[in-house]
Amino acid sequence: MSKNVAIVTGGSRGIGRAAALKLAKAGYAVVVNYTANATAADEVVSAIKGAGGEAVAVKGDVAQEADVLAIFAAAERLGPLKVLVNNAGVMDSQARLDEMSIARLTRIFDVNLTGAFLCAREAVKRMSMKHGGSGGAIVNLSSAAAVHGAPGFGVEYAASKGAIDLLTIGLGREVAAEGIRVNAVRPGIIDTDIHDSSGIPGRVKMMRDAIPMKREGSADEVADAILWLVSDQSSYVTGTIVAVAGGRC
Ligand code: NAP
């Protein structure tokens, strides 16, 4: 019998990588999506297979509808889709709004927002009992920026994550009676490569003082919350956002 399938967008690095490894350990066949770094995605797949699990790396830009359809087609070849971790996301260099180009705004909203919506749409079509599916769980990646707005740093990134919160609340209610739970995690400062995009060397360490726990979080700590949100232990939880931020939001 085929395993239940989990798609992790942006599963090649950072939080997505940690979630992919934990989902495989929990028994899911995992689609490890990536957009550029095939070596990193292959390493995740090898680690999963080396531990006796099942995984496939699928290249695709979540902002492109055709790529999203290809990611979901790859999942269908593995088995029934039960989990989507809507994780792929990008940040840009530190900037005020009055310095932002249309190219920058378009990229952030296309990847962080339209990409997440497209993936959620395809997941609902396959998981919803209304469409003949057997239910499932979607976990979106929000950010503490959705609460504090990231002034002078990246309000467009913060706004894209604020919209993710509303996708979570609205879609969670929309499909609650169809067997799908939709939740989000709201990470604070997590030690991953994404901070390199800010153009501020050592940004993670610089932020420590502003965090009540006085330390950054790890990708594993965020992935643990994701795993809880897809598990039966959170069976009455939907349309909500779980902060994993050391007390910062
Ligand atoms: P990361 O280390 O930079 O990894 C990003 C992942 O997303 C990579 O696997 C990358 O693939 C993939 N990706 C980027 N653009 C993509 C696209 N257009 N289509 C498909 N995949 C794409 O990031 P992270 O820190 O783990 O962040 C993961 C999520 O958590 C993001 O949504 C981010 O906004 C959110 N978040 C992170 C933090 C933090 O402090 N780290 C805080 C709050 C929220 P390649 O390897 O191919 O480049």
Side-chain angles (χ1 to χ4, degrees):
M1 207 177 85
S2 54
K3 291 182 177 187
N4 287 330
V5 177
I7 294 175
V8 183
T9 65
S12 48
R13 293 184 291 119
I15 294 166
R17 176 183 185 278
L21 293 172
K22 285 179 190 285
L23 284 162
K25 207 171 167 190
Y28 291 92
V30 185
V31 174
V32 179
N33 159 248
Y34 69 102
T35 192
N37 198 332
T39 307
D42 288 344
E43 183 271 327
V44 177
V45 170
S46 296
I48 290 172
K49 287 185 173 169
E54 197 177 345
V56 61
V58 181
K59 182 178 167 69
D61 177 351
V62 294
Q64 301 296 324
E65 187 176 30
D67 289 9
V68 169
L69 297 180
I71 294 164
F72 279 79
E76 257 161 30
R77 288 192 286 275
L78 288 182
L81 182 69
K82 296 296 280 185
V83 168
L84 166 67
V85 183
N86 235 340
N87 167 78
V90 287
M91 219 185 233
D92 212 317
S93 56
Q94 178 178 27
R96 288 167 47 98
L97 177 60
D98 51 15
E99 299 165 333
M100 291 179 192
S101 67
I102 180 70
R104 171 182 175 134
L105 293 173
T106 303
R107 172 172 169 264
I108 294 290
F109 293 131
D110 280 359
V111 175
N112 294 2
L113 192 47
T114 305
F117 270 72
L118 287 174
C119 290
R121 183 191 74 189
E122 292 308 308
V124 168
K125 283 183 186 173
R126 287 157 180 83
M127 293 173 179
S128 168
M129 293 181 325
K130 182 173 172 245
H131 297 300
S134 59
I138 297 174
V139 180
N140 300 319
L141 267 290
S142 178
S143 169
V147 178
H148 58 67
F153 180 79
V155 292
E156 92 294 21
Y157 173 82
S160 75
K161 294 300 182 178
I164 288 293
D165 288 358
L166 283 175
L167 165 66
T168 303
I169 294 165
L171 184 63
R173 292 174 182 177
E174 193 166 291
V175 297
E178 298 170 22
I180 306 176
R181 295 186 300 107
V182 184
N183 292 290
V185 289
R186 177 181 285 156
I189 299 291
I190 310 300
D191 191 14
T192 70
D193 299 342
I194 202 167
H195 301 281
D196 298 347
S197 329
S198 70
I200 306 169
R203 175 170 189 253
V204 171
K205 282 187 186 143
M206 279 169 53
M207 295 296 293
R208 280 180 187 158
D209 256 4
I211 302 167
M213 282 191 181
K214 302 297 176 199
R215 68 167 179 90
E216 65 274 29
S218 69
D220 270 338
E221 288 176 305
V222 182
D224 282 336
I226 294 170
L227 264 286
W228 178 71
L229 285 170
V230 307
S231 77
D232 288 342
Q233 289 178 333
S234 63
S235 53
Y236 200 52
V237 179
T238 199
T240 199
I241 300 143
V242 176
V244 186
R248 188 158 173 257
C249 65

